Amino acid sequence: MNKESPSVALVGSGYWGKNLVRNFHELGVLGMIVDPDPAVRERMAKLYPDIRLASSFSEALTAKDIDAVAIATP
């Protein structure tokens, strides 16, 4: 991740969120993926092994290295 860029946590990586994950990752700003569904987190872990995963929104809010949070939930 580029240290000059903000670090973004994305909450929700399902239907539309997976596209945001891909784009944020390509931009080098994705710092965390948050999703309560273990199956979704497992899939994201395989696709993005270098990105931290979390199951709760509060983990993104309390992470010292996260500068912004994007929400992609229904």
Side-chain angles (χ1 to χ4, degrees):
M1 188 175 326
N2 183 345
K3 291 187 180 196
E4 295 178 16
S5 299
S7 180
V8 178
L10 179 67
V11 179
S13 54
Y15 178 75
W16 188 252
K18 64 186 174 194
N19 298 311
L20 294 174
V21 167
R22 184 185 73 248
N23 286 306
F24 285 145
H25 190 263
E26 287 176 4
L27 290 170
V29 298
L30 186 63
M32 179 186 289
I33 300 169
V34 180
D35 202 290
D37 186 335
V40 172
R41 288 195 311 274
E42 184 177 326
R43 185 174 70 243
M44 290 294 116
K46 289 179 184 173
L47 293 170
Y48 306 99
D50 58 325
I51 301 300
R52 209 171 11 158
L53 298 170
S55 61
S56 73
F57 182 61
S58 63
E59 291 178 67
L61 294 178
T62 59
K64 301 273 188 227
D65 61 329
I66 297 296
D67 301 307
V69 176
I71 301 173
T73 62

